[in-house]
Amino acid sequence: MISALRNSAAHVFVDSIDAPVLGDVDAHHLLRVLRVKSRDVVTVSDGGGRWRTCVVDGDAKIEVTSEVAVEPAPKWQLRVAFSVVKGDRPEWTVQKLTEIGIDEIIVLAPTTRSVVRWDAGRANKNLERLRLVAREAAMQSRRVWLPKVSDVVALAQLGDAFIADPTGEVLNESHRTIAIGPEGGFTQEEISAGKGVVSLGDTILRAETAAISAAVLMSSYRNKES
C-alpha cells in the first residue's frame, strides 16, 4: 500500500481534487469524531483514482501539499451480487466488500427463496444508506477508487455472473462476477440462468460469509496477477 495513504491522519473524498473542500459532514467527522489536529496530514481523493496530500486547519480549511497522483484502475473489475438478508447484515456486507476491494456491489432483487423483500420506497432509502456505508468504508480503508453500489438488479439481468454453490468448480481468476443467494440458496432454475457455478468451499456458508469469501478469493487472484 502507498505509505502516504496509509500514514495519513484521515482519508476523505471530495468533489474537486484540484480545489478540495470538505463538506460539513466530512468536516465534522474529521475534526470532531477522528479528532484530526490542525496541520495534520490528510489525503483526499475524487474516487476515480486521483488523490493528493493536504493539511487541514481547525476551521476545516484544506491546504494542498502535493501534486495530484493517479492510481491506475484495477486491471479487471470485480463484482459481487448478493441477496438481501435480515437486520444490518447488508450494511456489514457492503462495508467488508468495500474494504476488500470489490469494484461493484450489486443488490439482487428478491429470488424465489428470499425472505427479505424491499418495496420501492424502502429500496431507495436502503440503497442510499448502503452507498454511504461504502463511502465511509472506502475512506477508512484508504481506497482512491470508490466502489459502485448499483441499483437493485434481477439475477437474470446478470448475464456474466457465476452462481456461488458448493457443487461448482473451484474459483479461479476467470470468475469476476459472483452472485450470492439468500439463506435458502438459489433454485435450480435460477442457478441455470447464470454463466456457471463456482464453489467457495466444502461447507454451507451464511449469505454474508459467502459474499466475503468470494471477495477475498477473487481479490487474491487479481493481486497475484498485478
Side-chain angles (χ1 to χ4, degrees), residues 84 91 107 117-133 149-153:
V84 177
E91 294 183 13
V107 178
R117 297 173 182 270
W118 293 345
D119 59 33
R122 187 179 176 193
N124 290 334
K125 180 180 179 180
N126 288 343
L127 285 170
E128 184 178 339
R129 173 59 186 161
L130 293 181
R131 289 174 180 131
L132 178 60
V133 168
V149 178
S150 76
D151 292 333
V152 176
V153 176

Side-chain angles (χ1 to χ4, degrees), residues 13 45-51 68-73 143-146:
F13 292 102
S45 172
D46 63 0
R50 302 175 72 217
W51 66 278
V68 175
V70 180
E71 184 72 11
R143 289 186 60 164
V144 296
W145 285 92
L146 190 62

Side-chain angles (χ1 to χ4, degrees), residues 9-14 21-37 42 56-62 132 135-136 139:
H11 181 65
V12 66
F13 292 102
V14 293
V21 175
L22 289 179
D24 291 342
V25 173
D26 289 326
H28 178 270
H29 183 69
L30 263 63
L31 299 180
R32 304 303 178 197
V33 179
L34 298 181
R35 300 195 180 279
V36 172
K37 299 180 180 63
V42 300
V56 61
D57 66 21
D59 294 323
K61 297 288 191 282
I62 284 181
L132 178 60
R135 185 178 185 273
E136 292 173 346
M139 290 164 58

Side-chain angles (χ1 to χ4, degrees), residues 155-161 193-195:
L155 179 62
Q157 295 177 285
L158 296 177
D160 61 345
K195 188 175 181 179

